[in-house]
Every structure is written in structure tokens, then in C-alpha cells.
Amino acid sequence: MHRPKSTLEQWRILQAVVDYGGYAQAADKLNKSQSSLNHAVAKLQSQLGIQLLEVRGRKAYLTEQGEVLLRRSRHVTQAVSELEQLANNLEQGWEPTLAIARELVYPMDKLTDALAAFLPESRGTRVTVVDTVINGTNELIQNNQVDLAICGTPPKGYIAQPLCDLDFYLVCHPSHPLALTPELEDDHILAQHLQIVIKDTGVNPQQETGWLKAEQRWTVSNFHEAKVILSKGIGFCWVPAHLVEKELAAGELVRLKIKGSNSRRIVLTLVVPQRDKQGPASKLLESLILALHGEKPLATS
């Protein structure tokens, strides 16, 4: 049986030296002595018979061979970390906490219904609901920062269960100039007016919610803020239909239509970012959310 020449700890130390820019910085982050890190990397190089790092001045740089091996080592250490986390989850059983990313447009009353059904069976599990928008939702999924995520189009590589279709209405205040022409010939007229959009919550946002051709835009954090601005007769906005039903019925807002298009529609889905690590509490809440929409959890092996 082949016995490895190196250890995971040695590779983790090498990764830290590279990631933090040197032995001194890595030692500080890892709370270890600089000499122990030097020794670990030197021993690793000796065991492999390959130079991984070369020191120039006060900084360590990867050799070409080091770059190749470091890249592969990250997959190995990540896989081991995931394996250890899975074992920890199996040992602990029921999760003490759950985090849910909710795309801001998903009806909160639906999620509340699922959580209300979950509560009697929750065993004290603490639930955190994070309101997110577009890239913000996807980043939480890709970074494995939530247990469940309700989103629009999921990131590539993730399986999603459809939940519901959601319509967006184009609305403004009755006193707004656009209200004089409820059915617009085309969107060029819209482009001449102020648009209210919702801020993407991603670290590196690439877009906001809605049609984005207006030259002048105001960006806000949520639809409540957008409706406050609209109520002052300022701007227009694409708003989820369920959030403006009362205002439309009361005549406080009016619905605009572009010729050939009465609304915009998106599909909201449910994603489990780490299906192989999903615990029983997450599975229960997933099934309750899906049940609200007449869906069943995906079959797992």
C-alpha cells in the first residue's frame, strides 16, 4: 500500500504562505511560528524532490512546478474539508441553525407559511432569512453561505426546483405624465423619464432588477422604498404584481402597458447549494416550501 510522502497540513501551510504573501504573514494568520512554517515547506520540498517556492527579497514566489502542484492541492484540501464537514453534520444530526436566501421579489407570506409549519418540528433550530437581489442571491449559493436559496435563474451547475411564476407590472403615480398614456407605443417614451430600480445585493453587481434603458435612474434597496418615491409622483418602476395590488385597486398607482406587452414574468426556483451535506432540518423546510407550490423534493440517492 502506497504511503503519501506529504501531509495535508504541509499543503495547507504552503497555500497559506502563497495566499498571504509570505512566511511572516502566514505565520501571523495561522498563529504559528515563522520557523515552523519554513520547516514544513522545506520538508515538503525535500520529500517531493521538487522546489515549490523561491524567495526573492522578503517575498516567496511559486515556481512553475509549484503552481501546478498548488492548484491540485487546493482541490485535495477542499475535498477533505468537505468530507470532514459532512462527517460533522452526520454526527450532529439536526442542524442548530439554518440560513435562507430569499430573492426580494418572492412573497414573504409564502415563506412565512412554510416557516410556521416548520416551527413545531424545528427542535429549536434558529432560522436566518437574508433578503437578496440577483447576483447577491447567486453569490450566497456559490459561496455555500446559505442552506436554501429562493432565486430567479440559478448559477450554472446548480439544480433548481421551480416554485412559481411572478409577474411584474410597470407602474407610476396617477399624476405622472406617463399616466396620460396608459398604453405606450414603445419603450422609447419610458427612456425619457426617471426610472426607479432595485439595487443588486451582490459584491460585484452587474445589473439591477427590471428594464434598464432609462437615462436617469434612482436606485433603492427594496420595493417599499420604491413605492414611497412613486407615491410622490416621481418616476416609474417595474414592481411585482402582488406588491402593488392594493395601491392599484385604490387608485394610488396606475399600471402602464407597452404595446404588445402587458407585464414581465420570471420563474422563481428553490436551490439547495450543498445537496450532499443537507441535514434533516434543511430537508424538512425544503419540503414545506415546495409543498406550498404543489412540488415535491428532488429524489436523492
Side-chain angles (χ1 to χ4, degrees):
M1 182 176 174
H2 175 71
R3 298 186 63 180
K5 298 178 182 179
S6 58
T7 66
L8 288 172
E9 181 64 15
Q10 287 174 318
W11 288 110
R12 284 172 174 148
I13 287 173
L14 175 66
Q15 291 167 15
V17 171
V18 173
D19 293 344
Y20 297 121
Y23 288 99
Q25 298 92 323
D28 182 58
K29 294 290 183 180
L30 298 178
N31 197 26
K32 294 178 178 289
S33 68
Q34 185 173 338
S35 60
S36 68
L37 268 59
N38 272 282
H39 176 73
V41 174
K43 186 175 181 180
L44 177 62
Q45 294 182 124
S46 175
Q47 290 167 326
L48 297 175
I50 294 176
Q51 186 176 2
L52 304 172
L53 292 175
E54 58 182 7
V55 178
R56 284 179 254 155
R58 294 186 176 182
K59 192 169 182 180
Y61 295 87
L62 280 168
T63 62
E64 289 185 10
Q65 297 95 329
E67 286 184 6
V68 174
L69 291 173
L70 179 70
R71 194 160 50 244
R72 181 64 64 88
S73 77
R74 292 191 190 278
H75 294 296
V76 175
T77 54
Q78 178 65 25
V80 171
S81 294
E82 291 175 356
L83 185 62
E84 291 173 348
Q85 183 60 50
L86 176 58
N88 185 53
N89 287 344
L90 292 173
E91 178 187 9
Q92 290 184 353
W94 198 269
E95 306 97 294
T97 62
L98 286 178
I100 307 165
R102 178 188 76 110
E103 188 75 35
L104 194 63
V105 297
Y106 181 74
M108 188 61 194
D109 62 327
K110 286 287 188 184
L111 182 56
T112 302
D113 288 344
L115 290 172
F118 173 74
L119 183 59
E121 308 296 330
S122 66
R123 303 184 192 180
T125 295
R126 295 181 178 182
V127 177
T128 300
V129 179
V130 183
D131 286 344
T132 53
V133 178
I134 309 179
N135 289 293
T137 314
N138 289 352
E139 286 175 6
L140 292 179
I141 293 172
Q142 293 170 315
N143 294 330
N144 297 324
Q145 292 179 278
V146 290
D147 301 286
L148 299 170
I150 298 171
C151 63
T153 303
K156 290 182 180 179
Y158 289 86
I159 297 174
Q161 275 278 71
L163 292 179
C164 60
D165 293 340
L166 194 68
D167 288 327
F168 283 72
Y169 290 163
L170 180 62
V171 298
C172 69
H173 191 269
S175 66
H176 193 281
L178 285 171
L180 299 175
T181 313
E183 183 170 275
L184 309 173
E185 284 295 320
D186 55 50
D187 58 9
H188 290 94
I189 298 175
L190 282 181
Q192 301 170 21
H193 295 271
L194 172 70
Q195 181 182 7
I196 312 301
V197 297
I198 308 303
K199 187 182 188 309
D200 189 321
T201 58
V203 175
N204 298 302
Q206 299 172 6
Q207 57 183 323
E208 291 96 351
T209 297
W211 175 96
L212 296 172
K213 293 184 180 179
E215 190 67 29
Q216 188 176 11
R217 287 182 277 161
W218 288 1
T219 301
V220 295
S221 297
N222 54 61
F223 289 104
H224 173 74
E225 294 173 356
K227 289 197 294 183
V228 170
I229 296 173
L230 293 173
S231 71
K232 305 296 183 181
I234 302 172
F236 68 89
C237 185
W238 289 95
V239 184
H242 67 277
L243 293 181
V244 288
E245 289 175 347
K246 293 180 180 179
E247 289 83 358
L248 290 173
E252 296 169 3
L253 292 175
V254 295
R255 185 177 169 190
L256 304 172
K257 298 178 183 179
I258 300 174
K259 193 171 182 179
S261 176
N262 289 332
S263 63
R264 291 174 53 242
R265 178 169 292 179
I266 66 169
V267 177
L268 290 174
T269 63
L270 181 64
V271 174
V272 181
Q274 300 185 85
R275 176 68 70 179
D276 62 333
K277 300 178 186 177
Q278 188 181 20
S282 174
K283 289 179 180 178
L284 174 58
L285 184 52
E286 176 195 10
S287 67
L288 292 170
I289 294 173
L290 290 172
L292 289 174
H293 301 279
E295 301 288 342
K296 294 181 179 179
L298 294 169
T300 57
S301 57

